[in-house]
Amino acid sequence: MSGHEEGEPKELAEFRAEVKAWIAANKPAKPAFKLPLSFLEVESKEQFDYLREWQRKVYDAGYLGYDVPKEYGGQGVDRARFRVVGQELARSRAPFMVNLIALQWAGPTIMTYGTEEQKKAYLQGILSAEEIWCQGFSEPGSGSDLASLQTRAVKVDGGYRVTGHKVWTTLAHFAKYMILMARTDPAASKYSGISYFLFPMETEGVDIQPLVKLSGEGGFNQIVFDDAFMPESALLGEEGQGWNIAMTTLMFERGANEGVGRERAAGFVERINTLTEVAKRQKRGGKPVSEDPVFRDRIVRAWIEAQAMALAAARSEAPQLNADRPLALPLMNKLVMSEWAQHVAELGCEMLGPEGALWVGDDHAPDGGDWPRAFMNSFGMTIGGGTSEILRNIIGERVLGLPKSK
Amino acid sequence: MTDVTQIIPQAPYAFGFTEDHELARKEARRYLNEHVTREHVRAQYEDPRGFDKELYRQTLELGWLGLSVPEQYGGAGLDALHLLLLWEELGRALYPSPLFASALAVEALLRGRHEAQRGQYLPEILSGNVIATFAYAEPGGAWGSDQVSCRAEPKEGSWVLSGTKVNVPFAASAGLLIAPAIDHKGELGLFLLELPAAGIELTPEVSVDPTRRSARVELDRVKVPHGARIQGDGRAIFQRVCSLGYALLAAEMVGAAEATMLMTRDYANDRQQFGRAIGSFQAVKHPIVNAMVQIELARSLVLGAASAMSSTEAIDRPEIAEHATRMAKAFAEEALSFTVQRGVQLHGGFGFTWDCDVQLYFKRMLWTRATLGDSTEHRQALAKVLFG
C-alpha cells in the first residue's frame, strides 16, 4: 500500500499513479561514479550533469512547477499535484532535484517579491535546471547573527558594485545566479540597511574558492567579491527591504511552504524502510541486527518519530488543527527533521558493527560507506539555514512568548 | 516489500476536522475550566471515592461517555477525532472521574455480538446509574491479551472464574466489571461480573495518582450465568478495547503535557533572577521549547490515531488502529515524562513542593505510563510489525 492516501480524490489518485509509473520507467540507472547524498555535496561536473539531466527530464515530462503559474514556465498552481509529485519523487528513491535552492527557496521568494519581469526572467530556468542558483547569506563573521553581515553593495551608474566575503555557498561553482544579501546603507540600522539581490555569478570580480567538508567532500565554497558589478534589475523588492525578504527565504528554507514538509516527511518514512532493510541484512554476533532488542527499539523510535513528522506536516496544512499555536509547526519543521536525520544516520552507522569502520572507497563498506558519510553530512542541515540553537530561540520567543535571550 | 510505514492516513483531509469539532472542543474547555479547577482536582485527592459523583453525572449528560457510541445505543455517534479532542481537554484539566474505566467497558460491550447485553447495560452506564470498569491488568507485568492467566471453567450451564486482576480502575465504585479470562479450550473470553458478588474480593490500591483510583480484584470461584460471556472473538475484542485505551490515554497525556508546559512557560516569564526573567536564559528556554516540540509531535500522532480509528480500512484491518494508537501512546508518554520532569526542575525550589501544581501532572504521568503498556512495551509490539 505504498503511496496510498486514503480518501484521496479519484482524479488525484490517478495522477499519483501516473507520476509513479513515469518515475519507475524513467528513473536513471545508477552511474559508475559516486553520487552525492544531497544537494549540499555536488562536487564534480559528472555528478552535476547527471543530476541536471534528471531534473530537466522531470520538468520536460510536465511534473515540475505545480507551484508556478503557466506564464512563468510552470504547470499552473496546483498544490495538491505539487504535493503528489514531491511525495512520489521522495518515495521512489530517485535522485534529488539539483536546483533545490532555486526550486524551494529562491523561486518562491521571487514569486513573492519579484516584478513581472523578474518572474519572467528567472522562474522557467529554475524549473528546467537551465540556470542553477546559490545563496549568499552567511559571511565569515556573520553566521547565526546574520544581520551583522558586512558585504557592501554600492550604488553606481546603472547598478551596484559588490565587495565582501560570503561563505558556505553550496553549488556556487555551478551557479548562474545567487540570492545575495548585502548592505546598501551602512548608516542605517543593522536590519534596515540590507538589500536583497539576484546576483549574476558570471561576472568579473567574483572569486569562487572551494571548501572541503569534514567528510572530505566538496560542494560548497567561499566567495570573495571585489568590486563586482550587477545591473539595477538585480535588486529584489526595495532597497533596505532585504532583511524581511531574507526572512521569507529562510521560512521557505526551513520548510514552511505548503507541501514541502510532507515531501520531506515522505522521504523520511522511506528512510525507515532502508533502515529496516539494513537491520535485516547486517549481522552482529552472527545474527541479524533486526533480532537485537536494543536496535529494534531504536529503529522503532525513529519510525514513530518519522510518522509523527509526516503527520505534523499534513496537519500544518489544516490551519484549524493549529489554531492554538499557528506558528509552531512551520517553525519547528526544520529543527525536528534535521535532528531526526542526523540521529538516523548515526543509528545506521552503529548497525554496521565492525563494518562501520569502513569508509567510502572500500569494497566491503556497506552501502558504499554512505552511512558514515550521511552522518557527517547531516550537520550541514542542523547548522545551515539557522542552527538548531537559533531555531530554539526563535520558537521560544515567537511561539511561546519567552523573553529574548541576550 | 510490504511498505509497513504507510499505515496511517496522512492527507490533511484525512483528519476530517470541521467547525463542529472546534465548537465542541471549545465548549469542553470552557466547561472544564469552570468546573474542574486545580482546587477541585486537589480536593479529590482527599475524597474517599476520588471523584465528584454529581459532576460525573453532569458530564455524562453532556454526552462525554457516549460521544462515539452509535446513536441506537444512546450515544452521539461522533467520530474518533471528536473523542480524542475531548480527551485532550480532560487531560489538560486532569478531570478526576471513572470516565476512562467506563469507556473501556462500553467499548467491550459494543465490540461484542450480543444485542441483549448491550441493551441491558449500555443505557445504565451511559446515564451514570452504573459505573463500569474493565480489568486489563494482571500481576506479573501482564498488560496484553496474550498474558491473561485468569481461568473460566464451564460448570452446569455457568462459568466459574478464578484469578487475580490488578490496577482495576475505579473498581470500588463500579457496579459492573468486565474481566478477561481463559476458558477450558484455551480461548480468551470477556465476562460480565456484576458487583458486589460472592467470591469477588476488592482491595483498594494506593494509586500513585489519587485522581485515578484502583483496586486489586481477587476472583475466587465466581459463578456467572452462561450468557455473561461477551460473544465474539474475545482476544480481538480485548485488543480493540486496549487500542481505544491507548488512544484515550495518549490524548490525555498530550493535554496534560500542554498544561504543564504552559505553566512552566508562565513561571519562566515571571520569575526574576540576576535581574531578568529566567526564561531569557537559553538553559531554561530550550528545554521548554523541546517540550513544546515533543507535544506537537505527540499531538500529531494522536490526530493520526483518530484518522486511523475512523478510516474505512480500519474496519477490516483493526491492526491499523492498533499500530497508530500504540505509536501515539508510546510517544505521548515520553513527551509528558520529559515535560513534567523539566516542569519540576524549572520551577526550582517551588517545583519541589506540594503546592506547585506540576506534581499533579507528574503523578498522572506515572499512572498513565503504568496503564495499558508503557512506551517500551508498545515499541516492542511495533518492532514485530517491522521485523516479525
Side-chain angles (χ1 to χ4, degrees):
Chain A
M1 44 187 282
S2 173
H4 170 84
E5 298 262 346
E6 181 167 312
E8 188 162 67
K10 185 162 171 279
E11 178 264 342
L12 214 52
E14 283 168 8
F15 178 68
R16 186 183 292 281
E18 173 200 314
V19 174
K20 206 200 250 306
W22 185 87
I23 296 172
N26 291 279
K27 193 166 97 174
K30 264 206 162 148
F33 52 88
K34 195 85 194 149
L35 272 178
L37 293 175
S38 82
F39 74 101
L40 296 171
E41 297 102 31
V42 186
E43 199 171 10
S44 68
K45 184 81 169 61
E46 58 183 359
Q47 289 175 331
F48 175 70
D49 289 342
Y50 174 96
L51 290 164
R52 171 141 82 173
E53 182 51 37
W54 170 234
Q55 180 176 332
R56 196 194 318 259
K57 203 165 173 181
V58 178
Y59 175 69
D60 287 344
Y63 294 130
L64 274 189
Y66 277 111
D67 56 339
V68 176
K70 286 205 167 110
E71 60 266 38
Y72 310 129
Q75 306 297 335
V77 178
D78 182 337
R79 281 281 151 193
R81 287 187 174 223
F82 175 73
R83 216 160 31 224
V84 166
V85 172
Q87 284 174 337
E88 291 309 323
L89 281 171
R91 283 171 184 160
S92 69
R93 304 189 194 185
F96 53 86
M97 294 297 111
V98 69
N99 209 11
L100 184 132
I101 293 172
L103 286 170
Q104 295 192 358
W105 320 341
T109 307
I110 294 169
M111 274 300 295
T112 312
Y113 288 98
T115 60
E116 188 62 23
E117 290 73 35
Q118 285 169 327
K119 291 181 200 171
K120 284 225 161 81
Y122 301 116
L123 292 170
Q124 175 148 19
I126 286 173
L127 292 168
S128 65
E130 191 56 45
E131 293 164 351
I132 302 298
W133 288 65
C134 64
Q135 180 188 36
F137 283 18
S138 291
E139 297 184 5
S142 308
S144 288
D145 183 9
L146 182 59
S148 69
L149 60 90
Q150 295 299 321
T151 295
R152 288 271 284 121
V154 180
K155 191 95 182 66
V156 293
D157 200 24
Y160 298 83
R161 288 201 171 270
V162 184
T163 301
H165 192 168
K166 293 287 174 181
V167 75
W168 323 134
T169 320
T170 296
L171 284 168
H173 48 313
F174 297 115
K176 180 146 188 206
Y177 294 102
M178 166 190 274
I179 42 176
L180 170 70
M181 284 174 84
R183 198 163 290 286
T184 40
D185 185 356
S189 82
K190 193 171 163 185
Y191 297 97
S192 62
I194 298 170
S195 299
Y196 194 114
F197 297 99
L198 312 174
F199 179 82
M201 294 288 282
E202 290 156 3
T203 182
E204 252 176 71
V206 177
D207 183 23
I208 303 172
Q209 302 159 5
L211 292 169
V212 182
K213 294 171 206 255
L214 74 169
S215 67
E217 289 166 274
F220 72 162
N221 310 272
Q222 57 179 338
I223 307 201
V224 178
F225 300 87
D226 180 15
D227 218 25
F229 178 78
M230 60 180 161
E232 229 159 38
S233 60
L235 179 69
L236 186 68
E238 310 279 326
E239 255 188 45
Q241 204 189 354
W243 179 256
N244 289 337
I245 302 177
M247 288 307 102
T248 304
T249 304
L250 284 174
M251 231 174 59
F252 290 132
E253 181 169 352
R254 291 165 189 165
N257 42 345
E258 209 187 313
V260 169
R262 298 183 65 215
E263 174 184 327
R264 287 189 197 168
F268 291 160
V269 171
E270 188 52 39
R271 196 111 175 103
I272 292 296
N273 286 330
T274 310
L275 215 52
T276 307
E277 289 161 18
V278 173
K280 287 178 175 163
R281 179 193 77 199
Q282 289 296 131
K283 296 211 165 127
R284 290 173 77 88
K287 281 192 198 156
V289 171
S290 60
E291 289 175 21
D292 180 295
V294 175
F295 277 101
R296 285 165 76 96
D297 194 65
R298 293 176 63 189
I299 295 165
V300 170
R301 255 178 209 283
W303 179 30
I304 296 173
E305 286 162 12
Q307 289 288 354
M309 292 189 300
L311 287 161
R315 207 184 121 202
S316 63
E317 290 166 42
Q320 298 151 299
L321 284 172
N322 312 294
D324 280 352
R325 198 179 287 139
L327 278 176
L329 294 177
L331 289 180
M332 68 186 243
N333 224 344
K334 186 239 171 195
L335 173 70
V336 295
M337 288 182 174
S338 64
E339 294 196 340
W340 180 89
Q342 192 161 84
H343 184 75
V344 162
E346 180 174 27
L347 177 55
C349 291
E350 288 183 69
M351 291 199 308
L352 306 183
E355 291 174 334
L358 302 178
W359 180 245
V360 181
D362 187 283
D363 287 346
H364 298 286
D367 300 311
D370 276 356
W371 290 101
R373 186 176 170 219
F375 184 28
M376 288 185 202
N377 285 333
S378 71
F379 285 82
M381 293 308 291
T382 53
I383 296 169
T387 63
S388 297
E389 290 70 26
I390 285 292
L391 290 175
R392 287 193 171 86
N393 281 350
I394 292 173
I395 294 168
E397 288 156 23
R398 291 190 51 197
V399 180
L400 293 176
L402 285 162
K404 264 196 162 322
S405 298
K406 297 201 173 135
Chain B
M1 191 185 90
T2 321
D3 187 354
V4 289
T5 58
Q6 298 291 331
I7 58 169
I8 308 174
Q10 283 166 9
Y13 39 75
F15 294 122
F17 193 85
T18 65
E19 200 69 14
D20 285 349
H21 291 99
E22 182 58 24
L23 286 173
R25 174 167 67 172
K26 277 199 177 127
E27 181 52 26
R29 194 178 292 186
R30 191 200 58 74
Y31 183 88
L32 288 162
N33 277 339
E34 189 179 328
H35 294 92
V36 186
T37 59
R38 302 251 167 82
E39 293 71 38
H40 175 84
V41 174
R42 284 173 177 269
Q44 303 320 305
Y45 269 45
E46 313 300 330
D47 187 89
R49 216 183 271 117
F51 68 101
D52 178 332
K53 234 176 161 171
E54 186 43 41
L55 188 65
Y56 181 62
R57 202 181 289 274
Q58 280 176 28
T59 56
L60 295 198
E61 274 169 26
L62 292 172
W64 286 1
L65 182 55
L67 213 55
S68 55
V69 172
E71 284 166 280
Q72 67 198 97
Y73 303 113
L78 299 172
D79 61 17
L81 183 58
H82 263 289
L83 187 69
L84 297 189
L85 290 171
L86 169 69
W87 279 74
E88 185 182 322
E89 298 305 322
L90 297 175
R92 192 190 296 268
L94 291 175
Y95 176 42
S97 82
L99 216 44
F100 176 68
S102 285
L104 298 189
V106 166
E107 179 75 1
L109 285 166
L110 283 174
R111 297 294 176 189
R113 286 199 320 259
H114 200 311
E115 279 297 329
Q117 284 169 351
R118 292 176 189 157
Q120 183 185 349
Y121 291 109
L122 284 176
E124 294 289 297
I125 301 171
L126 294 185
S127 68
N129 286 338
V130 172
I131 287 167
T133 188
F134 188 92
Y136 40 74
E138 291 193 7
W143 270 312
S145 64
D146 51 350
Q147 293 152 334
V148 174
S149 60
C150 267
R151 309 291 305 182
E153 301 292 341
K155 194 176 172 189
E156 296 156 7
S158 303
W159 291 102
V160 178
L161 275 70
S162 291
T164 304
K165 299 290 183 185
V166 295
N167 301 9
V168 184
F170 287 95
S173 301
L176 178 70
L177 167 76
I178 301 182
I182 305 290
D183 71 12
H184 57 298
K185 293 181 188 156
E187 281 166 13
L188 189 141
L190 301 173
F191 296 88
L192 301 162
L193 310 179
E194 292 184 5
L195 300 176
I200 303 181
E201 193 189 336
L202 296 186
T203 314
E205 295 167 332
V206 180
S207 175
V208 66
D209 175 5
T211 67
R212 286 284 153 91
R213 299 298 166 90
S214 62
R216 183 183 184 93
V217 179
E218 302 281 356
L219 305 174
D220 182 15
R221 285 161 291 166
V222 181
K223 204 169 150 188
V224 294
H226 190 73
R229 180 174 179 161
I230 293 180
Q231 290 188 5
D233 178 348
R235 210 168 282 278
I237 298 170
F238 191 0
Q239 184 53 56
R240 294 192 88 128
V241 170
C242 289
S243 297
L244 175 74
Y246 308 152
L248 299 181
L249 294 177
E252 265 199 338
M253 287 192 285
V254 167
E258 171 83 17
T260 308
M261 187 274 292
L262 291 177
M263 223 188 309
T264 310
R265 188 269 315 260
D266 292 346
Y267 187 78
N269 267 334
D270 291 345
R271 173 75 174 167
Q272 303 277 322
Q273 290 284 273
F274 305 101
R276 50 184 165 133
I278 60 170
S280 66
F281 296 110
Q282 290 178 335
V284 173
K285 177 182 288 174
H286 289 189
I288 301 174
V289 169
N290 289 343
M292 186 215 84
V293 166
Q294 294 300 301
I295 291 165
E296 289 301 341
L297 291 174
R299 182 175 279 136
S300 302
L301 283 167
V302 167
L303 293 166
S307 57
M309 288 159 79
S310 299
S311 87
T312 47
E313 276 185 27
I315 294 167
D316 299 324
R317 299 181 57 213
E319 70 274 14
I320 292 177
E322 181 195 333
H323 300 155
T325 54
R326 279 188 190 276
M327 283 190 174
K329 186 174 190 260
F331 194 87
E333 174 204 305
E334 298 207 315
L336 178 58
S337 170
F338 177 81
T339 307
V340 294
Q341 290 182 56
R342 290 308 94 201
V344 170
Q345 181 70 24
L346 297 177
H347 277 81
F350 174 56
F352 194 57
T353 67
W354 183 261
D355 287 347
C356 177
D357 287 333
V358 176
Q359 59 115 333
L360 307 174
Y361 293 90
F362 201 118
K363 287 162 189 171
R364 177 59 68 85
M365 181 276 287
L366 287 172
W367 180 86
T368 313
R369 171 184 280 165
T371 301
L372 289 179
D374 60 13
S375 62
T376 305
E377 168 95 357
H378 291 302
R379 286 194 303 271
Q380 280 168 358
L382 290 163
K384 287 190 191 136
V385 180
L386 277 189
F387 301 114

